[in-house]
PDB file of all heavy atoms in Angstrom:
ATOM      1  N   LYS A 346     -31.226 -33.798 -17.701  1.00 95.00           N
ATOM      2  CA  LYS A 346     -31.427 -33.693 -16.229  1.00 95.00           C
ATOM      3  C   LYS A 346     -30.501 -32.679 -15.577  1.00 95.00           C
ATOM      4  O   LYS A 346     -30.496 -32.523 -14.397  1.00 95.00           O
ATOM      5  CB  LYS A 346     -31.302 -34.960 -15.538  1.00 95.00           C
ATOM      6  CG  LYS A 346     -29.896 -35.712 -15.747  1.00 95.00           C
ATOM      7  CD  LYS A 346     -29.742 -36.862 -14.925  1.00 95.00           C
ATOM      8  CE  LYS A 346     -28.267 -37.308 -14.937  1.00 95.00           C
ATOM      9  NZ  LYS A 346     -27.991 -38.497 -14.094  1.00 95.00           N
ATOM     10  N   ALA A 347     -29.704 -31.919 -16.460  1.00 92.00           N
ATOM     11  CA  ALA A 347     -28.752 -30.965 -15.786  1.00 92.00           C
ATOM     12  C   ALA A 347     -29.423 -29.627 -15.618  1.00 92.00           C
ATOM     13  O   ALA A 347     -29.795 -28.950 -16.508  1.00 92.00           O
ATOM     14  CB  ALA A 347     -27.523 -30.888 -16.615  1.00 92.00           C
ATOM     15  N   VAL A 348     -29.607 -29.298 -14.229  1.00 91.00           N
ATOM     16  CA  VAL A 348     -30.298 -28.035 -14.019  1.00 91.00           C
ATOM     17  C   VAL A 348     -29.589 -26.778 -14.619  1.00 91.00           C
ATOM     18  O   VAL A 348     -30.353 -26.016 -15.279  1.00 91.00           O
ATOM     19  CB  VAL A 348     -30.359 -27.828 -12.445  1.00 91.00           C
ATOM     20  CG1 VAL A 348     -31.128 -26.611 -12.079  1.00 91.00           C
ATOM     21  CG2 VAL A 348     -31.098 -29.122 -11.816  1.00 91.00           C
ATOM     22  N   SER A 386     -39.577 -35.149  -9.617  1.00 97.00           N
ATOM     23  CA  SER A 386     -38.477 -34.683  -8.788  1.00 97.00           C
ATOM     24  C   SER A 386     -39.033 -33.798  -7.681  1.00 97.00           C
ATOM     25  O   SER A 386     -40.040 -33.101  -7.834  1.00 97.00           O
ATOM     26  CB  SER A 386     -37.449 -33.865  -9.667  1.00 97.00           C
ATOM     27  OG  SER A 386     -36.693 -33.117  -8.811  1.00 97.00           O
ATOM     28  N   CYS A 387     -38.333 -33.787  -6.551  1.00 97.00           N
ATOM     29  CA  CYS A 387     -38.703 -32.959  -5.404  1.00 97.00           C
ATOM     30  C   CYS A 387     -38.509 -31.489  -5.832  1.00 97.00           C
ATOM     31  O   CYS A 387     -38.874 -30.563  -5.064  1.00 97.00           O
ATOM     32  CB  CYS A 387     -37.835 -33.285  -4.186  1.00 97.00           C
ATOM     33  SG  CYS A 387     -36.138 -32.743  -4.410  1.00 97.00           S
ATOM     34  N   THR A 388     -37.898 -31.245  -6.935  1.00 96.00           N
ATOM     35  CA  THR A 388     -37.633 -29.770  -7.392  1.00 96.00           C
ATOM     36  C   THR A 388     -39.087 -29.155  -7.551  1.00 96.00           C
ATOM     37  O   THR A 388     -39.122 -27.919  -7.549  1.00 96.00           O
ATOM     38  CB  THR A 388     -36.815 -29.845  -8.616  1.00 96.00           C
ATOM     39  OG1 THR A 388     -36.411 -28.490  -8.859  1.00 96.00           O
ATOM     40  CG2 THR A 388     -37.484 -30.298  -9.917  1.00 96.00           C
ATOM     41  N   GLY A 391     -39.915 -26.512  -4.854  1.00 93.00           N
ATOM     42  CA  GLY A 391     -39.207 -25.284  -4.610  1.00 93.00           C
ATOM     43  C   GLY A 391     -38.630 -25.340  -3.160  1.00 93.00           C
ATOM     44  O   GLY A 391     -38.289 -26.397  -2.654  1.00 93.00           O
ATOM     45  N   TYR A 411     -35.491 -27.186 -16.412  1.00 96.00           N
ATOM     46  CA  TYR A 411     -35.537 -28.703 -16.126  1.00 96.00           C
ATOM     47  C   TYR A 411     -36.601 -28.940 -15.167  1.00 96.00           C
ATOM     48  O   TYR A 411     -37.446 -29.796 -15.374  1.00 96.00           O
ATOM     49  CB  TYR A 411     -34.098 -29.044 -15.438  1.00 96.00           C
ATOM     50  CG  TYR A 411     -34.281 -30.342 -14.723  1.00 96.00           C
ATOM     51  CD1 TYR A 411     -34.278 -31.520 -15.287  1.00 96.00           C
ATOM     52  CD2 TYR A 411     -34.326 -30.306 -13.259  1.00 96.00           C
ATOM     53  CE1 TYR A 411     -34.415 -32.707 -14.553  1.00 96.00           C
ATOM     54  CE2 TYR A 411     -34.595 -31.458 -12.551  1.00 96.00           C
ATOM     55  CZ  TYR A 411     -34.513 -32.644 -13.116  1.00 96.00           C
ATOM     56  OH  TYR A 411     -34.661 -33.796 -12.411  1.00 96.00           O
ATOM     57  N   TYR A 439     -38.511 -37.901  -6.860  1.00 98.00           N
ATOM     58  CA  TYR A 439     -37.334 -38.303  -6.190  1.00 98.00           C
ATOM     59  C   TYR A 439     -36.686 -37.151  -5.460  1.00 98.00           C
ATOM     60  O   TYR A 439     -36.574 -36.020  -5.985  1.00 98.00           O
ATOM     61  CB  TYR A 439     -36.230 -38.688  -7.277  1.00 98.00           C
ATOM     62  CG  TYR A 439     -36.661 -39.681  -8.359  1.00 98.00           C
ATOM     63  CD1 TYR A 439     -36.001 -39.607  -9.614  1.00 98.00           C
ATOM     64  CD2 TYR A 439     -37.660 -40.621  -8.215  1.00 98.00           C
ATOM     65  CE1 TYR A 439     -36.246 -40.434 -10.588  1.00 98.00           C
ATOM     66  CE2 TYR A 439     -38.014 -41.463  -9.237  1.00 98.00           C
ATOM     67  CZ  TYR A 439     -37.310 -41.347 -10.427  1.00 98.00           C
ATOM     68  OH  TYR A 439     -37.652 -42.242 -11.388  1.00 98.00           O
ATOM     69  N   PHE A 440     -36.125 -37.502  -4.252  1.00 98.00           N
ATOM     70  CA  PHE A 440     -35.241 -36.543  -3.629  1.00 98.00           C
ATOM     71  C   PHE A 440     -33.809 -36.765  -4.159  1.00 98.00           C
ATOM     72  O   PHE A 440     -33.767 -36.822  -5.419  1.00 98.00           O
ATOM     73  CB  PHE A 440     -35.381 -36.584  -2.056  1.00 98.00           C
ATOM     74  CG  PHE A 440     -36.727 -35.961  -1.688  1.00 98.00           C
ATOM     75  CD1 PHE A 440     -37.979 -36.453  -2.066  1.00 98.00           C
ATOM     76  CD2 PHE A 440     -36.740 -34.773  -1.019  1.00 98.00           C
ATOM     77  CE1 PHE A 440     -39.157 -35.727  -1.858  1.00 98.00           C
ATOM     78  CE2 PHE A 440     -37.932 -34.042  -0.772  1.00 98.00           C
ATOM     79  CZ  PHE A 440     -39.181 -34.596  -1.144  1.00 98.00           C
ATOM     80  N   ASN A 441     -32.749 -36.820  -3.463  1.00 98.00           N
ATOM     81  CA  ASN A 441     -31.391 -36.936  -4.076  1.00 98.00           C
ATOM     82  C   ASN A 441     -30.798 -38.272  -4.097  1.00 98.00           C
ATOM     83  O   ASN A 441     -30.251 -38.710  -3.083  1.00 98.00           O
ATOM     84  CB  ASN A 441     -30.507 -35.973  -3.334  1.00 98.00           C
ATOM     85  CG  ASN A 441     -30.836 -34.472  -3.550  1.00 98.00           C
ATOM     86  OD1 ASN A 441     -31.888 -33.997  -3.289  1.00 98.00           O
ATOM     87  ND2 ASN A 441     -29.832 -33.759  -4.019  1.00 98.00           N
ATOM     88  N   PRO A 442     -30.950 -38.965  -5.276  1.00 98.00           N
ATOM     89  CA  PRO A 442     -30.360 -40.296  -5.403  1.00 98.00           C
ATOM     90  C   PRO A 442     -28.879 -40.272  -5.426  1.00 98.00           C
ATOM     91  O   PRO A 442     -28.268 -39.429  -6.122  1.00 98.00           O
ATOM     92  CB  PRO A 442     -30.967 -40.801  -6.641  1.00 98.00           C
ATOM     93  CG  PRO A 442     -31.611 -39.730  -7.395  1.00 98.00           C
ATOM     94  CD  PRO A 442     -31.555 -38.440  -6.500  1.00 98.00           C
ATOM     95  N   PRO A 459     -18.995 -32.860 -13.014  1.00 95.00           N
ATOM     96  CA  PRO A 459     -20.231 -33.241 -12.425  1.00 95.00           C
ATOM     97  C   PRO A 459     -20.904 -31.935 -11.747  1.00 95.00           C
ATOM     98  O   PRO A 459     -20.185 -31.186 -11.162  1.00 95.00           O
ATOM     99  CB  PRO A 459     -19.979 -34.144 -11.280  1.00 95.00           C
ATOM    100  CG  PRO A 459     -18.501 -34.612 -11.480  1.00 95.00           C
ATOM    101  CD  PRO A 459     -17.878 -33.578 -12.316  1.00 95.00           C
ATOM    102  N   GLU A 460     -22.253 -31.933 -11.805  1.00 92.00           N
ATOM    103  CA  GLU A 460     -23.039 -30.833 -11.106  1.00 92.00           C
ATOM    104  C   GLU A 460     -23.466 -31.309  -9.708  1.00 92.00           C
ATOM    105  O   GLU A 460     -23.599 -30.521  -8.828  1.00 92.00           O
ATOM    106  CB  GLU A 460     -24.309 -30.453 -11.911  1.00 92.00           C
ATOM    107  CG  GLU A 460     -24.046 -29.611 -13.079  1.00 92.00           C
ATOM    108  CD  GLU A 460     -25.353 -28.920 -13.588  1.00 92.00           C
ATOM    109  OE1 GLU A 460     -26.246 -28.751 -12.828  1.00 92.00           O
ATOM    110  OE2 GLU A 460     -25.411 -28.578 -14.725  1.00 92.00           O
ATOM    111  N   ASN A 461     -23.576 -32.572  -9.614  1.00 96.00           N
ATOM    112  CA  ASN A 461     -24.109 -33.156  -8.382  1.00 96.00           C
ATOM    113  C   ASN A 461     -23.046 -33.393  -7.293  1.00 96.00           C
ATOM    114  O   ASN A 461     -21.906 -33.706  -7.678  1.00 96.00           O
ATOM    115  CB  ASN A 461     -24.897 -34.379  -8.581  1.00 96.00           C
ATOM    116  CG  ASN A 461     -26.141 -34.104  -9.420  1.00 96.00           C
ATOM    117  OD1 ASN A 461     -26.249 -34.576 -10.595  1.00 96.00           O
ATOM    118  ND2 ASN A 461     -27.103 -33.333  -8.949  1.00 96.00           N
ATOM    119  N   LEU A 462     -23.376 -33.375  -6.135  1.00 98.00           N
ATOM    120  CA  LEU A 462     -22.400 -33.349  -5.004  1.00 98.00           C
ATOM    121  C   LEU A 462     -21.595 -34.682  -4.928  1.00 98.00           C
ATOM    122  O   LEU A 462     -20.355 -34.594  -4.878  1.00 98.00           O
ATOM    123  CB  LEU A 462     -23.174 -33.198  -3.646  1.00 98.00           C
ATOM    124  CG  LEU A 462     -22.313 -33.284  -2.443  1.00 98.00           C
ATOM    125  CD1 LEU A 462     -21.421 -32.084  -2.359  1.00 98.00           C
ATOM    126  CD2 LEU A 462     -23.223 -33.218  -1.152  1.00 98.00           C
ATOM    127  N   VAL A 463     -22.271 -35.821  -4.917  1.00 98.00           N
ATOM    128  CA  VAL A 463     -21.610 -37.068  -4.598  1.00 98.00           C
ATOM    129  C   VAL A 463     -20.536 -37.443  -5.762  1.00 98.00           C
ATOM    130  O   VAL A 463     -19.357 -37.721  -5.466  1.00 98.00           O
ATOM    131  CB  VAL A 463     -22.454 -38.253  -4.305  1.00 98.00           C
ATOM    132  CG1 VAL A 463     -21.769 -39.527  -4.073  1.00 98.00           C
ATOM    133  CG2 VAL A 463     -23.200 -37.832  -2.911  1.00 98.00           C
ATOM    134  N   PHE A 465     -19.045 -35.379  -7.500  1.00 98.00           N
ATOM    135  CA  PHE A 465     -17.920 -34.360  -7.369  1.00 98.00           C
ATOM    136  C   PHE A 465     -17.002 -34.794  -6.239  1.00 98.00           C
ATOM    137  O   PHE A 465     -15.760 -34.698  -6.319  1.00 98.00           O
ATOM    138  CB  PHE A 465     -18.440 -32.931  -7.163  1.00 98.00           C
ATOM    139  CG  PHE A 465     -17.508 -31.979  -7.716  1.00 98.00           C
ATOM    140  CD1 PHE A 465     -17.836 -31.285  -8.926  1.00 98.00           C
ATOM    141  CD2 PHE A 465     -16.329 -31.698  -7.096  1.00 98.00           C
ATOM    142  CE1 PHE A 465     -16.944 -30.411  -9.456  1.00 98.00           C
ATOM    143  CE2 PHE A 465     -15.468 -30.741  -7.602  1.00 98.00           C
ATOM    144  CZ  PHE A 465     -15.724 -30.148  -8.799  1.00 98.00           C
ATOM    145  N   LEU A 477     -13.351 -29.863  -3.836  1.00 98.00           N
ATOM    146  CA  LEU A 477     -14.750 -29.665  -3.866  1.00 98.00           C
ATOM    147  C   LEU A 477     -15.084 -28.270  -3.424  1.00 98.00           C
ATOM    148  O   LEU A 477     -14.408 -27.830  -2.424  1.00 98.00           O
ATOM    149  CB  LEU A 477     -15.420 -30.714  -2.908  1.00 98.00           C
ATOM    150  CG  LEU A 477     -16.924 -30.522  -2.664  1.00 98.00           C
ATOM    151  CD1 LEU A 477     -17.746 -30.897  -3.880  1.00 98.00           C
ATOM    152  CD2 LEU A 477     -17.405 -31.265  -1.340  1.00 98.00           C
ATOM    153  N   GLN A 478     -16.025 -27.599  -4.087  1.00 98.00           N
ATOM    154  CA  GLN A 478     -16.448 -26.334  -3.526  1.00 98.00           C
ATOM    155  C   GLN A 478     -17.779 -26.667  -2.770  1.00 98.00           C
ATOM    156  O   GLN A 478     -18.636 -27.195  -3.317  1.00 98.00           O
ATOM    157  CB  GLN A 478     -16.774 -25.386  -4.712  1.00 98.00           C
ATOM    158  CG  GLN A 478     -15.586 -25.036  -5.521  1.00 98.00           C
ATOM    159  CD  GLN A 478     -15.954 -23.998  -6.607  1.00 98.00           C
ATOM    160  OE1 GLN A 478     -16.823 -23.196  -6.358  1.00 98.00           O
ATOM    161  NE2 GLN A 478     -15.349 -24.190  -7.806  1.00 98.00           N
ATOM    162  N   VAL A 479     -17.723 -26.161  -1.567  1.00 98.00           N
ATOM    163  CA  VAL A 479     -19.056 -26.213  -0.710  1.00 98.00           C
ATOM    164  C   VAL A 479     -19.739 -24.927  -0.966  1.00 98.00           C
ATOM    165  O   VAL A 479     -19.242 -23.853  -0.625  1.00 98.00           O
ATOM    166  CB  VAL A 479     -18.738 -26.495   0.765  1.00 98.00           C
ATOM    167  CG1 VAL A 479     -19.999 -26.415   1.529  1.00 98.00           C
ATOM    168  CG2 VAL A 479     -17.994 -27.820   1.019  1.00 98.00           C
ATOM    169  N   PHE A 480     -20.916 -25.028  -1.550  1.00 98.00           N
ATOM    170  CA  PHE A 480     -21.652 -23.798  -2.055  1.00 98.00           C
ATOM    171  C   PHE A 480     -22.430 -23.211  -0.874  1.00 98.00           C
ATOM    172  O   PHE A 480     -23.560 -23.325  -0.708  1.00 98.00           O
ATOM    173  CB  PHE A 480     -22.617 -24.211  -3.163  1.00 98.00           C
ATOM    174  CG  PHE A 480     -21.948 -24.641  -4.457  1.00 98.00           C
ATOM    175  CD1 PHE A 480     -22.450 -25.718  -5.163  1.00 98.00           C
ATOM    176  CD2 PHE A 480     -20.762 -24.079  -4.961  1.00 98.00           C
ATOM    177  CE1 PHE A 480     -21.862 -26.217  -6.254  1.00 98.00           C
ATOM    178  CE2 PHE A 480     -20.190 -24.549  -6.056  1.00 98.00           C
ATOM    179  CZ  PHE A 480     -20.728 -25.622  -6.749  1.00 98.00           C
ATOM    180  N   GLY A 481     -21.631 -22.459  -0.010  1.00 98.00           N
ATOM    181  CA  GLY A 481     -22.230 -21.688   1.019  1.00 98.00           C
ATOM    182  C   GLY A 481     -22.226 -22.373   2.371  1.00 98.00           C
ATOM    183  O   GLY A 481     -22.615 -23.473   2.481  1.00 98.00           O
ATOM    184  N   TYR A 484     -26.165 -20.587   5.362  1.00 98.00           N
ATOM    185  CA  TYR A 484     -27.586 -20.848   5.297  1.00 98.00           C
ATOM    186  C   TYR A 484     -28.141 -20.957   6.708  1.00 98.00           C
ATOM    187  O   TYR A 484     -27.397 -21.203   7.644  1.00 98.00           O
ATOM    188  CB  TYR A 484     -27.874 -22.159   4.566  1.00 98.00           C
ATOM    189  CG  TYR A 484     -27.742 -22.010   2.969  1.00 98.00           C
ATOM    190  CD1 TYR A 484     -26.543 -22.440   2.300  1.00 98.00           C
ATOM    191  CD2 TYR A 484     -28.708 -21.487   2.235  1.00 98.00           C
ATOM    192  CE1 TYR A 484     -26.453 -22.290   0.962  1.00 98.00           C
ATOM    193  CE2 TYR A 484     -28.679 -21.379   0.929  1.00 98.00           C
ATOM    194  CZ  TYR A 484     -27.511 -21.686   0.269  1.00 98.00           C
ATOM    195  OH  TYR A 484     -27.428 -21.654  -1.101  1.00 98.00           O
ATOM    196  N   CYS A 491     -26.320 -26.451   3.041  1.00 98.00           N
ATOM    197  CA  CYS A 491     -27.678 -26.805   2.544  1.00 98.00           C
ATOM    198  C   CYS A 491     -28.010 -28.237   2.979  1.00 98.00           C
ATOM    199  O   CYS A 491     -27.088 -29.099   3.205  1.00 98.00           O
ATOM    200  CB  CYS A 491     -27.712 -26.815   1.084  1.00 98.00           C
ATOM    201  SG  CYS A 491     -27.662 -25.250   0.292  1.00 98.00           S
ATOM    202  N   ILE A 492     -29.230 -28.462   3.185  1.00 98.00           N
ATOM    203  CA  ILE A 492     -29.690 -29.796   3.546  1.00 98.00           C
ATOM    204  C   ILE A 492     -30.608 -30.484   2.562  1.00 98.00           C
ATOM    205  O   ILE A 492     -31.461 -29.769   1.902  1.00 98.00           O
ATOM    206  CB  ILE A 492     -30.506 -29.732   4.911  1.00 98.00           C
ATOM    207  CG1 ILE A 492     -29.559 -29.297   5.989  1.00 98.00           C
ATOM    208  CG2 ILE A 492     -31.177 -31.035   5.230  1.00 98.00           C
ATOM    209  CD1 ILE A 492     -30.253 -29.131   7.366  1.00 98.00           C
ATOM    210  N   ARG A 493     -30.246 -31.826   2.262  1.00 98.00           N
ATOM    211  CA  ARG A 493     -30.988 -32.541   1.286  1.00 98.00           C
ATOM    212  C   ARG A 493     -31.316 -33.932   1.824  1.00 98.00           C
ATOM    213  O   ARG A 493     -30.725 -34.307   2.845  1.00 98.00           O
ATOM    214  CB  ARG A 493     -30.128 -32.808  -0.004  1.00 98.00           C
ATOM    215  CG  ARG A 493     -29.777 -31.571  -0.756  1.00 98.00           C
ATOM    216  CD  ARG A 493     -30.977 -30.998  -1.531  1.00 98.00           C
ATOM    217  NE  ARG A 493     -30.598 -29.804  -2.381  1.00 98.00           N
ATOM    218  CZ  ARG A 493     -30.506 -28.574  -1.859  1.00 98.00           C
ATOM    219  NH1 ARG A 493     -30.789 -28.346  -0.583  1.00 98.00           N
ATOM    220  NH2 ARG A 493     -30.115 -27.632  -2.639  1.00 98.00           N
ATOM    221  N   TYR A 495     -30.764 -37.482   0.904  1.00 98.00           N
ATOM    222  CA  TYR A 495     -29.982 -38.421  -0.003  1.00 98.00           C
ATOM    223  C   TYR A 495     -30.453 -39.806   0.158  1.00 98.00           C
ATOM    224  O   TYR A 495     -30.417 -40.410   1.266  1.00 98.00           O
ATOM    225  CB  TYR A 495     -28.484 -38.272   0.224  1.00 98.00           C
ATOM    226  CG  TYR A 495     -27.938 -36.918   0.070  1.00 98.00           C
ATOM    227  CD1 TYR A 495     -27.802 -36.028   1.171  1.00 98.00           C
ATOM    228  CD2 TYR A 495     -27.592 -36.412  -1.205  1.00 98.00           C
ATOM    229  CE1 TYR A 495     -27.266 -34.712   0.982  1.00 98.00           C
ATOM    230  CE2 TYR A 495     -27.092 -35.190  -1.427  1.00 98.00           C
ATOM    231  CZ  TYR A 495     -26.902 -34.287  -0.361  1.00 98.00           C
ATOM    232  OH  TYR A 495     -26.503 -33.067  -0.595  1.00 98.00           O
ATOM    233  N   VAL A 534     -24.395 -30.757   3.686  1.00 98.00           N
ATOM    234  CA  VAL A 534     -23.257 -30.949   2.759  1.00 98.00           C
ATOM    235  C   VAL A 534     -22.083 -31.417   3.665  1.00 98.00           C
ATOM    236  O   VAL A 534     -21.427 -32.346   3.346  1.00 98.00           O
ATOM    237  CB  VAL A 534     -22.880 -29.704   1.910  1.00 98.00           C
ATOM    238  CG1 VAL A 534     -21.609 -29.907   1.196  1.00 98.00           C
ATOM    239  CG2 VAL A 534     -24.087 -29.387   1.089  1.00 98.00           C
ATOM    240  N   ARG A 557     -24.587 -21.359  -4.514  1.00 95.00           N
ATOM    241  CA  ARG A 557     -24.812 -21.599  -5.896  1.00 95.00           C
ATOM    242  C   ARG A 557     -26.284 -21.020  -6.232  1.00 95.00           C
ATOM    243  O   ARG A 557     -27.212 -21.306  -5.549  1.00 95.00           O
ATOM    244  CB  ARG A 557     -24.864 -23.094  -6.223  1.00 95.00           C
ATOM    245  CG  ARG A 557     -25.016 -23.507  -7.630  1.00 95.00           C
ATOM    246  CD  ARG A 557     -24.757 -24.987  -7.858  1.00 95.00           C
ATOM    247  NE  ARG A 557     -25.741 -25.905  -7.129  1.00 95.00           N
ATOM    248  CZ  ARG A 557     -25.754 -27.211  -7.295  1.00 95.00           C
ATOM    249  NH1 ARG A 557     -24.900 -27.787  -7.982  1.00 95.00           N
ATOM    250  NH2 ARG A 557     -26.656 -27.915  -6.630  1.00 95.00           N
ATOM    251  N   GLY A 559     -29.873 -20.498  -7.348  1.00 89.00           N
ATOM    252  CA  GLY A 559     -30.907 -21.460  -7.561  1.00 89.00           C
ATOM    253  C   GLY A 559     -31.011 -22.537  -6.550  1.00 89.00           C
ATOM    254  O   GLY A 559     -32.022 -23.319  -6.443  1.00 89.00           O
ATOM    255  N   ASP A 560     -29.945 -22.615  -5.632  1.00 93.00           N
ATOM    256  CA  ASP A 560     -29.980 -23.673  -4.605  1.00 93.00           C
ATOM    257  C   ASP A 560     -31.068 -23.410  -3.541  1.00 93.00           C
ATOM    258  O   ASP A 560     -31.291 -22.325  -3.220  1.00 93.00           O
ATOM    259  CB  ASP A 560     -28.613 -23.849  -3.967  1.00 93.00           C
ATOM    260  CG  ASP A 560     -27.843 -24.994  -4.436  1.00 93.00           C
ATOM    261  OD1 ASP A 560     -28.453 -25.874  -5.115  1.00 93.00           O
ATOM    262  OD2 ASP A 560     -26.621 -25.011  -4.203  1.00 93.00           O
ATOM    263  N   ILE A 561     -31.696 -24.479  -3.126  1.00 94.00           N
ATOM    264  CA  ILE A 561     -32.682 -24.500  -2.056  1.00 94.00           C
ATOM    265  C   ILE A 561     -31.933 -24.706  -0.766  1.00 94.00           C
ATOM    266  O   ILE A 561     -31.004 -25.487  -0.725  1.00 94.00           O
ATOM    267  CB  ILE A 561     -33.770 -25.490  -2.377  1.00 94.00           C
ATOM    268  CG1 ILE A 561     -34.715 -24.898  -3.421  1.00 94.00           C
ATOM    269  CG2 ILE A 561     -34.470 -26.005  -1.246  1.00 94.00           C
ATOM    270  CD1 ILE A 561     -35.287 -25.868  -4.360  1.00 94.00           C
ATOM    271  N   GLU A 562     -32.389 -23.987   0.261  1.00 97.00           N
ATOM    272  CA  GLU A 562     -31.682 -24.081   1.602  1.00 97.00           C
ATOM    273  C   GLU A 562     -31.770 -25.487   2.209  1.00 97.00           C
ATOM    274  O   GLU A 562     -30.814 -26.102   2.495  1.00 97.00           O
ATOM    275  CB  GLU A 562     -32.281 -23.063   2.487  1.00 97.00           C
ATOM    276  CG  GLU A 562     -31.517 -22.994   3.816  1.00 97.00           C
ATOM    277  CD  GLU A 562     -32.050 -21.782   4.602  1.00 97.00           C
ATOM    278  OE1 GLU A 562     -32.985 -21.826   5.345  1.00 97.00           O
ATOM    279  OE2 GLU A 562     -31.400 -20.637   4.523  1.00 97.00           O
ATOM    280  N   ILE A 564     -34.402 -29.208   2.242  1.00 97.00           N
ATOM    281  CA  ILE A 564     -35.615 -29.891   1.873  1.00 97.00           C
ATOM    282  C   ILE A 564     -35.361 -31.408   2.190  1.00 97.00           C
ATOM    283  O   ILE A 564     -34.271 -31.929   2.046  1.00 97.00           O
ATOM    284  CB  ILE A 564     -35.886 -29.760   0.377  1.00 97.00           C
ATOM    285  CG1 ILE A 564     -37.234 -30.513  -0.029  1.00 97.00           C
ATOM    286  CG2 ILE A 564     -34.760 -30.257  -0.545  1.00 97.00           C
ATOM    287  CD1 ILE A 564     -37.818 -30.023  -1.333  1.00 97.00           C
TER     288      ILE A 564
HETATM  289  C1  UD1 B 806     -31.185 -30.695  -7.894  1.00 81.28           C
HETATM  290  C2  UD1 B 806     -32.699 -30.872  -7.689  1.00 81.28           C
HETATM  291  C3  UD1 B 806     -33.100 -32.192  -8.026  1.00 81.28           C
HETATM  292  C4  UD1 B 806     -32.644 -32.574  -9.516  1.00 81.28           C
HETATM  293  C5  UD1 B 806     -31.105 -32.517  -9.435  1.00 81.28           C
HETATM  294  C6  UD1 B 806     -30.631 -32.934 -10.773  1.00 81.28           C
HETATM  295  C7  UD1 B 806     -33.647 -29.504  -5.927  1.00 81.28           C
HETATM  296  C8  UD1 B 806     -33.943 -29.446  -4.465  1.00 81.28           C
HETATM  297  N1  UD1 B 806     -33.066 -30.607  -6.353  1.00 81.28           N
HETATM  298  O1  UD1 B 806     -30.553 -31.395  -6.839  1.00 81.28           O
HETATM  299  O2  UD1 B 806     -34.416 -32.300  -8.012  1.00 81.28           O
HETATM  300  O3  UD1 B 806     -33.104 -33.843  -9.799  1.00 81.28           O
HETATM  301  O4  UD1 B 806     -30.740 -31.192  -9.118  1.00 81.28           O
HETATM  302  O5  UD1 B 806     -29.273 -32.638 -10.866  1.00 81.28           O
HETATM  303  O6  UD1 B 806     -33.929 -28.684  -6.626  1.00 81.28           O
HETATM  304  N2  UD1 B 806     -23.092 -28.991  -3.663  1.00 81.28           N
HETATM  305  C9  UD1 B 806     -21.835 -28.426  -3.293  1.00 81.28           C
HETATM  306  N3  UD1 B 806     -20.809 -28.565  -4.139  1.00 81.28           N
HETATM  307  C10 UD1 B 806     -20.894 -29.164  -5.406  1.00 81.28           C
HETATM  308  C11 UD1 B 806     -22.177 -29.824  -5.690  1.00 81.28           C
HETATM  309  C12 UD1 B 806     -23.221 -29.622  -4.849  1.00 81.28           C
HETATM  310  O7  UD1 B 806     -21.727 -27.896  -2.065  1.00 81.28           O
HETATM  311  O8  UD1 B 806     -19.917 -29.246  -6.092  1.00 81.28           O
HETATM  312  C13 UD1 B 806     -24.300 -28.878  -2.754  1.00 81.28           C
HETATM  313  C14 UD1 B 806     -25.360 -28.121  -3.249  1.00 81.28           C
HETATM  314  O9  UD1 B 806     -25.273 -26.787  -2.921  1.00 81.28           O
HETATM  315  C15 UD1 B 806     -26.593 -28.768  -2.616  1.00 81.28           C
HETATM  316  C16 UD1 B 806     -26.143 -30.291  -2.428  1.00 81.28           C
HETATM  317  O10 UD1 B 806     -24.726 -30.187  -2.528  1.00 81.28           O
HETATM  318  O11 UD1 B 806     -26.772 -28.297  -1.301  1.00 81.28           O
HETATM  319  C17 UD1 B 806     -26.684 -31.217  -3.414  1.00 81.28           C
HETATM  320  O12 UD1 B 806     -26.468 -30.663  -4.732  1.00 81.28           O
HETATM  321  P1  UD1 B 806     -26.829 -31.515  -6.056  1.00 81.28           P
HETATM  322  O13 UD1 B 806     -26.230 -32.855  -5.868  1.00 81.28           O
HETATM  323  O14 UD1 B 806     -26.428 -30.687  -7.207  1.00 81.28           O
HETATM  324  O15 UD1 B 806     -28.378 -31.715  -5.983  1.00 81.28           O
HETATM  325  P2  UD1 B 806     -29.589 -30.630  -5.860  1.00 81.28           P
HETATM  326  O16 UD1 B 806     -29.171 -29.339  -6.424  1.00 81.28           O
HETATM  327  O17 UD1 B 806     -30.168 -30.797  -4.535  1.00 81.28           O
END
Side-chain angles (χ1 to χ4, degrees):
K346 61 168 188 180
V348 178
S386 165
C387 71
T388 193
Y411 159 78
Y439 310 153
F440 283 66
N441 288 54
E460 280 198 25
N461 296 113
L462 178 64
V463 173
F465 210 105
L477 170 76
Q478 296 182 37
V479 174
F480 297 137
Y484 283 100
C491 292
I492 294 180
R493 295 288 183 274
Y495 297 97
V534 176
R557 182 171 67 175
D560 256 344
I561 278 150
E562 184 169 87
I564 186 163

